[in-house]
Amino acid sequence: MNGIRTIPGVSAIADAYDAFLIDQYGVLRDGRGPYPGAAETLVRLKQAGKRVIILSNSGKRSMENDRRLAELGFEPRSWHWFLTSGEVAWQMLRREAETGGRVARKCLLVSRDGDLSPLKGLDLVRTENGEDADIVLLAGSEGDIHPLSYYEDMLRPAAERGVPCLCTNPDKVMLTKTGHAFGAGRIAELYEELGGKVRWIGKPFPDIYDFALDFLGRPDPARVCAIGDSVEHDIVGAAAVGLASVLVTTGILERQSDEERRLLFVEHGAAPDFILPKFLW
């Protein structure tokens, strides 16, 4: 593809950047487990003196993702911070509660695997009823279990009442043990289709990059590179804040041709600087 360099491994560009923002699903792992060589590549980046943030559109908080990745065999000391959209949203909600007064609100939480961590420590009480919810929090999807109509029935009463919604996982497609399924981002789109308003937290939106770049000490954006498998989220998000980017062709784009990927670049108005077939050193 014109102007986009295909590289065999991360080592080909490591000297050009001081920090890397690396996606989780589709780069390091899929719904079944780690990609071969991914854990070793993270270690090599850290050994090369690079700052490494794993930047994930996960509705779960950072600590939960840290633990899960370590259990899969990744070396915990091979990254400096595991920053999730769920963590960003939790921190923002906590700050809002501190400035606005701690009045408990009923929250309709949509998550995966019964995860309640998005609510822990906040002024939010869980409700499963969209008719009395004060806020909707879309942290995950069980699109491999439930059809979209299941979420439509759940969310319609809240959307019709104009209840504000926070989507902490903008991914519209997710990788599961059985293949692709619709993600929380698709449920958020549904909420908008039902007439509700959604505040999006995560890639490609700016809040998550602000948190990451603050952690890094606000470096020169030209010395920071984002690596991901989604044009819509990773490549567009990096371009919006002036970062270089690498598109890994595992994950959600694995079955697409070069021409199909090129059309995605046109559709979303952003193209990566590099193409990487697999996250290898």
Side-chain angles (χ1 to χ4, degrees):
M1 285 172 274
N2 293 338
I4 303 175
R5 176 184 165 197
T6 297
I7 56 175
V10 181
S11 61
I13 61 169
D15 289 345
Y17 304 102
D18 301 320
F20 289 84
L21 310 182
I22 301 171
D23 187 30
Q24 176 185 195
Y25 276 101
V27 176
L28 303 178
R29 57 172 296 203
D30 61 14
R32 294 175 291 271
Y35 289 126
E40 293 82 357
T41 302
L42 275 182
V43 171
R44 295 290 295 272
L45 263 179
K46 184 80 175 297
Q47 289 175 340
K50 308 303 173 181
R51 304 289 299 282
V52 176
I53 296 179
I54 301 177
L55 199 67
S56 175
N57 277 355
S58 167
K60 292 183 171 66
R61 294 190 60 194
S62 291
M63 186 178 298
E64 170 64 18
N65 279 273
D66 266 320
R67 180 192 61 78
R68 184 171 54 180
L69 210 60
E71 288 177 352
L72 288 171
F74 287 83
E75 169 53 57
R77 289 169 294 184
S78 62
W79 60 87
H80 293 86
W81 195 20
F82 198 135
L83 178 59
T84 68
S85 48
E87 182 69 29
V88 172
W90 190 92
Q91 296 289 347
M92 292 171 64
L93 287 168
R94 180 181 61 82
R95 291 175 187 172
E96 289 174 3
E98 290 175 349
T99 56
R102 302 191 68 84
V103 178
R105 293 174 289 171
K106 292 182 179 180
C107 176
L108 176 57
L109 173 66
V110 177
S111 63
R112 186 169 178 82
D113 303 325
D115 178 38
L116 300 178
S117 65
L119 304 183
K120 189 174 182 180
L122 296 175
D123 62 330
L124 298 174
V125 178
R126 189 181 189 191
T127 178
E128 297 184 2
N129 187 350
E131 295 180 354
D132 68 356
D134 299 310
I135 186 173
V136 175
L137 184 58
L138 302 179
S141 165
E142 292 183 327
D144 50 338
I145 300 173
H146 302 296
L148 198 59
S149 59
Y150 167 84
Y151 293 103
E152 182 174 358
D153 292 341
M154 178 193 301
L155 296 171
R156 183 182 295 278
E160 290 179 344
R161 291 172 48 238
V163 174
C165 173
L166 193 65
C167 178
T168 64
N169 185 341
D171 288 355
K172 296 168 187 174
V173 178
M174 65 177 183
L175 301 174
T176 74
K177 293 180 180 179
T178 56
H180 293 181
F182 64 84
R186 178 65 190 98
I187 301 173
E189 283 186 331
L190 171 65
Y191 197 77
E192 291 180 330
E193 292 163 8
L194 293 171
K197 292 186 177 180
V198 177
R199 181 178 179 181
W200 299 77
I201 304 296
K203 300 175 290 184
F205 304 98
D207 291 312
I208 194 168
Y209 293 97
D210 284 340
F211 272 70
L213 294 173
D214 281 347
F215 178 83
L216 293 172
R218 287 288 164 180
D220 178 358
R223 297 291 299 178
V224 182
C225 183
I227 302 178
D229 71 317
S230 169
V231 176
E232 181 177 3
H233 299 101
D234 299 295
I235 306 307
V236 170
V241 292
L243 310 183
S245 64
V246 177
L247 182 67
V248 178
T249 57
T250 47
I252 61 173
L253 300 184
E254 188 172 16
R255 301 185 185 96
Q256 294 196 336
S257 66
D258 287 348
E259 178 60 19
E260 288 172 321
R261 293 171 191 143
R262 189 189 67 78
L263 291 175
L264 282 176
F265 304 155
V266 174
E267 176 185 350
H268 295 293
D273 297 283
F274 307 98
I275 297 286
L276 179 62
K278 296 179 181 180
F279 185 69
L280 298 172
W281 181 250

